[in-house]
Amino acid sequence: MKKIAVLFVFIIGSLNSRAQQNMISVEGGWAMADLEEVSTSMNGWRIAGLYEFNPYAGKVTHGISFGYVGMSTDVMVGATNIHYELGSFPVYYAPGLLLGKDKFKFQLKGALGWQFSNINRTGLLIETKNSDGGITLGAGAGGLYNINSNTFLNFGYEFLFMDNSFYLDEFLHTIKLGLGFKF
């Protein structure tokens, strides 16, 4: 009976060590979206944190992403210059697919979640602030370059469909670069 118990513990222990690979990364980059209210593009930056787990170290990943997007633009309306600043907090589930060898892996991602946005408009006689939220859907492609067994660089392009009154069903485009760790 002791031999069976030891064998059972050994098998369970070996399954657990192969069961999941965790990855955490911090990403940043350039962001661009159209501001439908005045039909102009906004440029800015985006920073995000991403936690992913890779069951059985296979090709499919599951993750949670959260971050901040800050963009601004100036628009001339008549003789008045209006400055727009938009901030958004997207939080979403990020399924992924990893393809490739050990040193470099190509990655495809999806996005399904929610975002909270605020906008500030300032001009000569105007100062308004509004907030809103809405769904976030998206996809992206990029790669992971393994520096060593625990550290990697990730890079890619991502677009998110942001549905709220400030974007009015517009896409947020992001080119990003990040540093990550496996554990």
Side-chain angles (χ1 to χ4, degrees), residues 84-98:
Y84 288 86
E85 288 184 7
L86 189 131
S88 185
F89 298 94
V91 177
Y92 55 86
Y93 166 66
L97 183 64
L98 291 172

Side-chain angles (χ1 to χ4, degrees), residues 64-92:
I64 300 291
S65 178
F66 58 93
Y68 180 78
V69 180
M71 295 182 290
S72 64
T73 191
D74 290 315
V75 177
M76 290 298 290
V77 178
T80 304
N81 183 33
I82 299 176
H83 181 72
Y84 288 86
E85 288 184 7
L86 189 131
S88 185
F89 298 94
V91 177
Y92 55 86

Side-chain angles (χ1 to χ4, degrees), residues 149-162:
S149 63
N150 295 328
T151 308
F152 62 91
L153 291 174
N154 61 348
F155 55 90
Y157 168 77
E158 182 177 63
F159 64 92
L160 297 175
F161 175 71
M162 309 280 273

